Amino acid sequence: MPTTGTFTAQIEQMQVTGANVMIALFNGKQVMGYMGDNNVPTTYQDGTAGNFKDVKVGTSVTITYNGSRVTKMVINTAPPKVETKNEVLKGRIASLNKDEIRITKGEFHYIARDAEIIINNKDKKLKDLIDKYEDKDITEITVELTLDSRGEVTKIVATTKEKSYEYSGTIKKLTKSRITFDDGTEYRIREDDVTTRYNGSSKSLQKIIDEINDADKDDKFTAEVKIDEDDDDYIEKLEVKSKSSSSSSKTSGSGTVKSVSGKKFTIGSKTYATTSDTDFDIDDGEEEIDSIGDLETAVEDDDKTVDVDVTVKSDKVTKVTGYVSKVTGELYSVGSDSVTLKLDSGKYTYECKSSVDINAGNCDDLDELEDYNKEDKIKVELTINSSNQVTKIKER
């Protein structure tokens, strides 16, 4: 036998002695023993690196030998499948561009060209994630990065947190130009551009300020504001709620006004006596019921349904708030977003909700109702919600 050479054979026997492995191969004429160890260059048939000790009896190998020592070996099989465990990193994005991403307190990682991008549970592209990262209205992006064996990002699952344009808290001070909360948060106000409500009903900014200034010193007022997205120093909506701490103040009744006579009105079986100091704040479309006389006209003359809350302090009716929830009358005119009724006491205009339900003729919207009403003035019943908007128009 030559002292050097290369041949292919099947392993007949194996014996491990320390670091050395003896393999017995049939070289075509006889079985010969060859020695090797982990230092022998070993590959699989596809060129993948292997290990001399990866072989076993029955394995086909191609060896290069020098004497009885194996100097090179090719294992004539495919390499075993190795499950690669991808690394997953979690954190907030600290830096991002089209090539790399870094999370807080982490290193930069290259982003694979075909990386899977998911933003808020939706399949997206890397460009979409970059746009979110550069969006001033996004305050935080948390990600879960999947890295392959090379440390390259193959998948990004992102969750965004948008800047909140709402805020709520206890009012420390309210003026026509500014609101300050107990925690020091402050926003500016443009009186002509802000929508204001008080205890669920529309009320002017000045009247809300008066409510706060006239209240007991221990009474608290909370506010929810919507911040102007174009200028976050200002608010565009203000809703104030009173929270009286006085044990002598309570809302003692609520419901539909049954009757009004003189300075008294009745809800159910209970009658309330008002005084000249009783504050009335009842929405009636574009008008406001602000006295017992107005309430009497609405209920007794115009047959309006008026839902109210009554506040009593020290056995006196101090406040009556609410809204007209139903009214029936001649449909005088129809606007793009409102209707006007003609009643015994005059004309009243009511704003309509965008999705108002119309049950008159075959009308589907206000434009068709306007045309329908031109043919012959009709009588309608309006149903109105607590936001002072018409939700239903029904022909009577």
Side-chain angles (χ1 to χ4, degrees), residues 11 19 40 52 54 65 74 78 106 171 198 204 207 230 235 267 278-279 297 359 362-363 369:
I11 297 175
V40 174
F52 194 82
D54 288 347
Y65 62 92
V74 176
I171 298 174
Y198 180 78
S204 69
K207 286 191 175 183
D230 295 325
I235 62 172
I267 299 176
T278 301
D279 180 20
T297 299
N359 186 3
N362 294 315
C363 302
L369 181 64

Side-chain angles (χ1 to χ4, degrees), residues 232-291:
D232 57 16
D233 285 336
Y234 287 86
I235 62 172
E236 58 184 31
K237 186 176 181 180
L238 169 67
E239 182 151 357
V240 176
K241 294 181 180 178
S242 61
K243 187 176 180 181
S244 176
S245 61
S246 171
S247 59
S248 61
S249 177
K250 63 179 181 177
T251 300
S252 63
S254 62
T256 301
V257 178
K258 184 178 179 181
S259 62
V260 184
S261 178
K263 290 186 175 295
K264 298 179 180 181
F265 64 93
T266 302
I267 299 176
S269 60
K270 189 172 179 62
T271 298
Y272 296 89
T274 64
T275 69
S276 58
D277 294 326
T278 301
D279 180 20
F280 285 84
D281 184 10
I282 302 172
D283 290 330
D284 185 12
E286 292 185 353
E287 305 297 325
E288 189 173 293
I289 297 172
D290 56 12
S291 69

